[in-house]
């Protein structure tokens, strides 16, 4: 499925994201030609985890309070 010119929002909390549940779908969107955007409650970075172990952090693209449904093609 091609997602060319489609922007997909990934809405996450600031902490507690299971890394695989973010990274694998993010990669699938990118490989399909889409543009993933990380949306969260606060600006800065979010903390992902591998089960209970802290893993990587990821930069927030858009804060929830400044996001608009018009910016995205899917959530």
């Amino acid at each position: 499925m091609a997602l060319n010119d489609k922007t997909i929002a990934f809405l996450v909390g600031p902490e507690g994201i299971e890394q695989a549940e973010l990274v694998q779908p993010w990669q699938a969107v990118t490989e399909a030609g889409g543009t993933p955007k990380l949306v969260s409650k606060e600006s800065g970075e979010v903390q992902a985890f591998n089960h209970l172990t802290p893993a990587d952090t990821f930069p927030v693209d858009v804060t929830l309070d400044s996001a608009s449904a018009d910016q995205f093609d899917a959530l």
Side-chain angles (χ1 to χ4, degrees):
M1 177 161 128
L3 294 175
N4 298 339
D5 300 321
K6 302 292 184 190
T7 302
I8 311 302
F10 283 74
L11 179 59
V12 299
E15 186 176 291
I17 306 130
E18 184 65 30
Q19 184 153 328
E21 293 177 1
L22 174 62
V23 172
Q24 291 172 357
W26 187 282
Q27 183 178 358
V29 166
T30 301
E31 289 174 358
T35 302
K37 295 286 185 179
L38 193 61
V39 180
S40 191
K41 182 178 164 182
E42 301 170 6
S43 62
E45 294 184 331
V46 295
Q47 177 68 60
F49 286 79
N50 290 323
H51 303 291
L52 299 176
T53 305
D56 297 325
T57 58
F58 297 90
V60 172
D61 294 308
V62 181
T63 58
L64 190 56
D65 62 348
S66 66
S68 168
D70 298 340
Q71 296 174 278
F72 306 103
D73 297 293
L75 173 64

